Amino acid sequence: MTRIAFSYGETSGPRTEVSFTVDAVYEGSVPSNQLVLSVFGGFLPSGRFATTSHAPAFAEGQRRLLLLRSDSAFWSPIVTDYDFTVEEVDGEEVVLGPDGRLLLSIGVLGPRFGSETLFDGPHLEGEGFTYPKRLPTVPSDRGISVAAAVSAIRAVIDESNVVIGGPLGSIVPDWSPWNSPPVAGVEP
Amino acid sequence: MRKGLLRAGICLSLMLLPFADNAYAYTFLETCNGCPTTIEITESLRQNTYSIPVGSARESDLINAHNEWNTGITSWSPLVRSGTTSDTVVTHGDGQWETAVVPRSSINGDNGLTYVEFSACFIGCNSIVEADPKIASDLFFGNPDESGWDVAVGGALSARDVYLHEWGHAIGLDHQLGFDLMISGGLKPRGGGTGSHSSPMGDDRKGAAALYGSFGTYKNLVASGLRFATSSNTVTTTTYVGTIYTSGSTQVTMRASLVNNGTQNLSFDWRTHVNTCPTCYSGGINWSNWYGATVNNRNQVLAEQVVYPPFGSMACNTTYYTFHTVDSGSAQSENREFDNSSHHALTIHKVCI
């Protein structure tokens, strides 16, 4: 992850633009190895900061392993729960969940993490994101490697009958303006 | 009868597995200069009556979220349900706090999503100036059973659980991993008894207290038919799901979550029993008793026993529901007593030939 910037668009609202240099594509394709992902969240014209309860947090310099979506990407182009960070712990590369725990496996119930929090953050702090801090915790479990995580994600995808491919989803929502999504009336 | 009782006495083993407190911490949606972002003045959450009609099951679940988060948590209520709007859209960024039921496709396919807006962060702390909690319209609206897996009343996850979760985001809490409402994804903890089964658990209340100050003395124990499974980091059933048909030679593993979501450390007893209806929370046939458990405030334990059911006292060819009760002797005078007994997803059918 090389750069994080905020923008605002009349059709797509406040955005967090996250620039990546792509190391590897394990399935499907991306338009370029210089990839910009746009996630909902950023400054409004009023100067206030808008986000959602499920917005991913980023920090410049981080390495991430992501499963991207090709359907609507207005809120986020990342498939919920398939957003991992790659860090080094004691000279060994490890895969972590969003709350800094070791990824142990991925199954039908989703990712499973270790019990200790190894890194604090990143989290939203004022106008940006904090870089994850290594905590003085010792993991009691052994995490899986990037390669094993990719294999496990592939297996889940195969079981779900999801087809990998297509362009990245659009950040323009199905409704207009961006800040007036529909509600669901009660069926008679 | 004697033989059955003797077996129960010999084979009873019970473990209390306390969870380390630091494994169940709360987190905040945002901080500003290290200060957690909170609601600064009491805010009114308007009900979108186009999607949550007055008198509907959807409204009951919203009222439950309001009541549960504002009962015994804070010395003041940062967010209250007040006012309505009948729009066919929910408007973000208008300074109005609004909640609605929405198409799942409009919230990323998730069960719920809360739009949150913060004031600028310069010097000192900032505040949440708008939050619009939204939940998916295809969830089950109602008060599902505490066993957690009763498909007939809505399956594993209900709108009531999701409302409480999104309400937590609206007051400034982020996800946390544990036996708490703020766990991301999947099933949420539920308490037992005759009232609402969905309620904030230990660290939910601890997080709210960290944001909004001391909430005075609150004393409450909850029995839950669900547990936190460390093998999958999910909330799941405490025991076997379904009916065991047995003539008396089958041991059963009973697991029970005993939650203390109040402010004091409490000692209490634990009773298990069987009975012939899913809401027979008291009486019935005694299975086992255990005394002397102490659970620290805002924490929970997973109790476990491997035991023969009380076959000697059970009627032939009859199905029994299984229950566990905390403080069955009513030694503690609690703020709410109705959630002390919970029924499990396990039923036992005594087969007599």
Side-chain angles (χ1 to χ4, degrees):
Chain A
M1 195 181 307
T2 55
R3 184 167 178 267
I4 297 169
F6 297 112
S7 68
Y8 181 85
E10 287 301 321
T11 54
S12 54
R15 313 297 303 180
T16 305
E17 313 284 354
V18 189
S19 302
F20 290 89
T21 298
V22 179
D23 285 341
V25 178
Y26 297 100
E27 290 282 350
S29 61
V30 292
S32 158
N33 75 334
Q34 297 300 313
L35 183 66
V36 179
L37 295 181
S38 177
V39 176
F40 182 87
F43 290 95
L44 298 165
S46 64
R48 291 173 171 173
F49 192 91
T51 186
T52 72
S53 51
H54 294 169
F58 301 97
E60 287 176 6
Q62 270 192 316
R63 294 177 67 206
R64 299 285 272 254
L65 176 65
L66 306 170
L67 181 61
L68 303 178
R69 56 196 310 157
S70 58
D71 56 357
S72 173
F74 171 66
W75 298 111
S76 173
I78 302 166
V79 177
T80 305
D81 295 337
Y82 289 85
D83 172 9
F84 307 102
T85 302
V86 180
E87 293 278 357
E88 203 165 277
V89 173
D90 301 330
E92 194 174 334
E93 191 177 80
V94 296
V95 184
L96 304 164
D99 63 352
R101 296 164 196 256
L102 279 178
L103 176 65
L104 304 182
S105 63
I106 303 175
V108 289
L109 293 173
R112 180 189 152 217
F113 301 102
S115 49
E116 296 86 11
T117 301
L118 303 188
F119 285 84
D120 176 21
H123 71 268
L124 197 55
E125 160 65 40
E127 298 175 357
F129 298 96
T130 59
Y131 193 86
K133 279 185 302 196
R134 177 73 170 97
L135 300 173
T137 43
V138 179
S140 56
D141 301 296
R142 190 167 176 82
I144 60 174
S145 65
V146 171
V150 170
S151 295
I153 294 170
R154 271 201 193 103
V156 170
I157 289 169
D158 289 345
E159 277 189 34
S160 310
N161 294 320
V162 172
V163 177
I164 298 290
L168 288 172
S170 170
I171 62 168
V172 178
D174 296 336
W175 57 87
S176 179
W178 69 265
N179 64 335
S180 297
V183 302
V186 179
E187 290 175 15
Chain B
M1 181 183 289
R2 261 186 173 206
K3 193 174 176 185
L5 288 173
L6 184 62
R7 275 183 175 169
I10 291 170
C11 298
L12 177 69
S13 65
L14 185 140
M15 293 185 293
L16 288 175
L17 309 171
F19 293 134
D21 194 45
N22 60 7
Y24 293 85
Y26 47 83
T27 54
F28 306 123
L29 267 186
E30 193 209 31
T31 56
C32 173
N33 299 310
C35 175
T37 304
T38 62
I39 302 173
E40 196 171 355
I41 56 171
T42 299
E43 296 284 358
S44 296
L45 185 67
R46 295 196 306 176
Q47 173 179 343
N48 179 285
T49 54
Y50 184 79
S51 63
I52 311 171
V54 173
S56 67
R58 291 181 177 185
E59 186 187 52
S60 296
D61 289 351
L62 170 61
I63 292 170
N64 182 68
H66 170 267
N67 291 344
E68 289 294 332
W69 273 113
N70 286 287
T71 299
I73 292 183
T74 58
S75 53
W76 61 287
S77 299
L79 184 59
V80 295
R81 172 182 155 268
S82 176
T84 60
T85 170
S86 57
D87 291 348
T88 56
V89 298
V90 53
T91 304
H92 303 318
D94 61 353
Q96 300 286 338
W97 295 53
E98 184 181 350
T99 186
V101 173
V102 301
R104 183 179 289 272
S105 59
S106 73
I107 51 173
N108 232 24
D110 289 335
N111 294 309
L113 184 137
T114 299
Y115 171 89
V116 189
E117 210 174 292
F118 306 113
S119 62
C121 172
F122 295 123
I123 302 169
C125 307
N126 68 340
S127 56
I128 304 170
V129 293
E130 181 180 342
D132 301 324
K134 301 180 288 183
I135 65 167
S137 60
D138 57 358
L139 289 164
F140 173 79
F141 290 83
N143 185 23
D145 187 84
E146 73 272 29
S147 69
W149 293 91
D150 193 338
V151 175
V153 290
L157 187 68
S158 75
R160 184 165 289 212
D161 302 325
V162 179
Y163 247 134
L164 280 157
H165 180 92
E166 296 305 322
W167 191 288
H169 286 313
I171 65 172
L173 293 174
D174 203 352
H175 294 132
Q176 61 201 29
L177 193 61
F179 197 68
D180 294 290
L181 284 172
M182 298 313 293
I183 188 172
S184 60
L187 197 58
K188 313 291 185 219
R190 287 194 196 129
T194 53
S196 173
H197 298 306
S198 301
S199 178
M201 293 292 161
D203 278 343
D204 299 317
R205 291 183 185 274
K206 187 192 286 185
L211 288 171
Y212 297 103
S214 166
F215 47 89
T217 300
Y218 185 71
K219 201 169 173 182
N220 193 46
L221 297 166
V222 183
S224 178
L226 301 171
R227 68 187 167 103
F228 185 73
T230 51
S231 60
S232 58
N233 285 320
T234 55
V235 173
T236 185
T237 52
T238 51
T239 186
Y240 183 83
V241 179
T243 303
I244 293 176
Y245 291 84
T246 176
S247 56
S249 58
T250 307
Q251 274 191 320
V252 175
T253 300
M254 284 286 285
R255 296 191 183 96
S257 289
L258 316 175
V259 178
N260 178 351
N261 62 357
T263 55
Q264 306 162 54
N265 300 345
L266 295 175
S267 294
F268 50 85
D269 67 343
W270 180 48
R271 175 195 186 226
T272 57
H273 76 274
V274 298
N275 215 330
T276 51
C277 78
T279 54
C280 296
Y281 293 110
S282 59
I285 301 170
N286 202 53
W287 191 344
S288 65
N289 284 97
W290 198 81
Y291 300 94
T294 298
V295 181
N296 292 342
N297 61 326
R298 304 168 187 164
N299 216 329
Q300 58 274 316
V301 294
L302 179 65
E304 181 172 313
Q305 64 172 351
V306 182
V307 64
Y308 288 101
F311 286 105
S313 303
M314 293 166 66
C316 285
N317 303 316
T318 303
T319 299
Y320 287 85
Y321 292 84
T322 59
F323 296 82
H324 76 271
T325 304
V326 292
D327 193 32
S328 64
S330 297
Q332 304 291 348
S333 176
E334 301 169 46
N335 286 68
R336 53 203 286 177
E337 300 280 1
F338 68 77
D339 53 6
N340 281 19
S341 185
S342 179
H343 109 253
H344 289 214
L346 165 72
T347 51
I348 300 169
H349 187 94
K350 180 179 176 180
V351 178
C352 299
I353 301 169

